Amino acid sequence: MTAEPPAQTPPTIRRASAADVPAIAALYGHHVRHGTASFELEAPSEQRVGERLEAAAARGLPYLVAELDGTVAGYAIANPYRPRPAYAWCLEDSVYVAAERHGRGIGSTLLASLLERSADAGFRQMVAVIGDSANTASVRLHEKLAFRHVGVLENVGYKHGRWLDTVLMQRPIGAGADTPPR
Ligand SMILES: CC(C)(COP(=O)(O)OP(=O)(O)OC[C@H]1O[C@@H](n2cnc3c(N)ncnc32)[C@H](O)[C@@H]1OP(=O)(O)O)[C@@H](O)C(=O)NCCC(=O)NCCS
């Protein structure tokens, strides 16, 4: 008989607070420095990450962390897709999981919760702008959460010595386009 793999403890999903800023800055900074998912070239300071958290809170935007074994294992935020007012009900998600904790369902749990809370807040569409066509993990994560592919912008970024695409994916949330926004 083959032994069952050990069960993974599910993360606790909760709203991010000021106390999480150093952990979020370290986690995101790693991905900025070493990856191509973010098109930032320099890791933002803790102060800047804190300002972004405050700005999200002031606008009622969901900003979540996944806590596992007492530490921040990942975070997710939904930002306005574009600033002009007719886009007011459309968000863009970002999900980042600590490199040593990839592939354990943390990203899926975070994104599912982000979608639910964004829908509850009255938003109608979620867009993913995925840095790098080679980012299979992010594409798969979004497919799993029912995003559909809507296009690829080719070679719009340049980082770590190569041109980078963005993969655009989208899904309705809440009533989607079935009714006017409230
Ligand atoms: C993308 C990311 C958030 C996924 O988080 P995660 O916790 O590893 O994801 P999950 O464990 O919930 O896996 C989600 C799905 O993607 C798949 N997946 C995860 N990593 C994968 C990889 N490297 N290659 C292929 N598929 C992968 C999983 O198998 C799962 O699909 P399944 O349930 O059908 O098997 C994480 O890899 C990450 O932080 N990457 C760097 C930053 C980034 O790209 N963020 C997205 C910005 S839009």
Side-chain angles (χ1 to χ4, degrees):
M1 203 175 103
T2 345
E4 289 281 323
Q8 304 269 14
T9 314
T12 302
I13 307 296
R14 58 170 176 79
R15 290 174 68 96
S17 76
D20 300 314
V21 164
I24 293 170
L27 192 162
Y28 177 63
H30 172 91
H31 287 299
V32 170
R33 281 190 292 274
H34 301 290
T36 47
S38 170
F39 278 19
E40 289 201 82
L41 299 178
E42 288 180 18
S45 64
E46 285 185 14
Q47 184 182 334
R48 186 75 194 101
V49 171
E51 287 165 1
R52 290 175 185 178
L53 175 68
E54 282 171 21
R59 301 178 80 157
L61 297 167
Y63 196 149
L64 306 175
V65 294
E67 193 177 299
L68 198 60
D69 307 327
T71 60
V72 173
Y75 75 92
I77 183 170
N79 278 307
Y81 170 59
R82 299 194 70 178
R84 297 236 165 125
Y87 287 112
W89 297 274
C90 182
L91 296 175
E92 177 183 334
D93 74 272
S94 291
V95 186
Y96 286 84
V97 172
E100 67 279 9
R101 283 170 152 166
H102 285 181
R104 295 173 53 171
I106 296 169
S108 305
T109 309
L110 271 170
L111 184 53
S113 186
L114 193 78
L115 290 165
E116 194 181 313
R117 292 178 197 220
S118 300
D120 288 349
F123 295 98
R124 297 301 187 87
Q125 299 289 327
M126 189 71 81
V127 173
V129 181
I130 298 170
D132 197 353
S133 293
N135 192 345
T136 320
S138 185
V139 170
R140 180 66 207 121
L141 168 69
H142 286 89
E143 286 172 347
K144 187 177 171 185
L145 272 297
F147 284 68
R148 66 189 175 87
H149 288 261
V150 289
V152 175
L153 297 177
E154 296 177 345
N155 303 316
V156 289
Y158 188 84
K159 186 176 180 184
H160 295 326
R162 63 188 177 93
W163 292 104
L164 297 168
D165 300 341
T166 53
V167 178
L168 305 179
M169 299 180 74
Q170 176 182 2
R171 62 158 282 175
I173 52 177
D178 292 344
T179 60
R182 19 176 166 106

